[in-house]
Amino acid sequence: MTTLLIPGYRGSENGHWQRQWLRDDPNAHLVEQDDWNAPTLSQWLHVLEARLAETPGAVLVAHSLGSILVAHLAGRPSAAHVAGALIVAPADVERMAAADKTFESFAPLPRQKLSFPAIVVASRDDPYMSFNKAKALSEVWGAGFVDLGNAGHINIDSGHGAWPEGHILAGSLVRPQHSGERAAA
């Protein structure tokens, strides 16, 4: 399974579970943005869509602002290349944009059903999105939902390094391929 790891604002620093995933999984690739500190939706979408064109059928594993990028991607033609998405600790860009214009281009939050299978993983004490809003968005998006309890922003600051459960969740998004053809006798 090819996995595209999509960090959020400022990227995922060394030690972050996405960086560890990248090191541990030879089929994982980081979607590297030109400037992690200046998020612009159109530019970030362009980079993500270019990576999808190179790796159709990939599973997207997104964190924070990267999760909202994936939600914005869902309404675009390139979403047809997505096998599934693990959306971890989505960021409330509406609230963030009201406080800081840096996030304006990502607002409002997409509120349409995702065009690919997805799972939202949220924490009850995430400072960047309320648990209830994350759960409501997962319902609007037609995504499964995982309550991680009190896990902060599911990053290094909240004690998350390696996250093997993430691999299991991402793997659950991919349906096994069955061939209707028989081998020649």
Side-chain angles (χ1 to χ4, degrees):
M1 163 178 88
T2 300
T3 305
L4 293 180
L5 300 168
I6 305 163
Y9 180 57
R10 296 189 177 149
S12 294
E13 63 276 3
N14 287 330
H16 190 283
W17 59 265
Q18 283 185 316
R19 294 290 176 169
Q20 291 189 30
W21 191 319
L22 184 63
R23 257 192 325 270
D24 296 342
D25 183 353
N27 295 315
H29 308 279
L30 186 73
V31 177
E32 187 73 51
Q33 297 295 340
D34 292 331
D35 189 348
W36 291 112
N37 296 321
T40 302
L41 179 60
S42 60
Q43 291 171 353
W44 281 29
L45 273 171
H46 176 75
V47 170
L48 176 54
E49 288 176 319
R51 287 308 303 264
L52 274 171
E54 296 168 0
T55 53
V59 171
L60 309 181
V61 177
H63 181 256
S64 192
L65 190 60
S67 295
I68 305 309
L69 177 66
V70 168
H72 279 289
L73 174 78
R76 299 172 65 88
S78 58
H81 298 296
V82 176
L86 183 60
I87 297 172
V88 182
D92 187 345
V93 293
E94 293 165 344
R95 185 178 51 136
M96 293 165 62
D100 184 341
K101 291 188 182 293
T102 302
F103 306 103
E104 235 173 17
S105 69
F106 280 79
L109 286 161
R111 287 182 170 83
Q112 74 273 357
K113 188 173 185 325
L114 301 180
S115 54
F116 40 76
I119 298 170
V120 173
V121 179
S123 165
R124 292 181 173 267
D125 61 351
D126 188 334
Y128 296 102
M129 181 175 282
S130 76
F131 179 79
N132 290 337
K133 192 167 190 176
K135 186 160 181 35
L137 278 173
S138 75
E139 292 168 8
V140 168
W141 292 341
F145 186 77
V146 174
D147 175 352
L148 219 53
N150 292 329
H153 194 48
I154 313 171
N155 61 5
I156 293 172
D157 291 343
S158 60
H160 286 81
W163 187 42
E165 297 85 358
H167 293 263
I168 295 166
L169 290 169
S172 75
L173 292 163
V174 181
R175 294 183 185 154
Q177 299 292 324
H178 297 288
S179 174
E181 300 175 10
R182 292 185 185 191

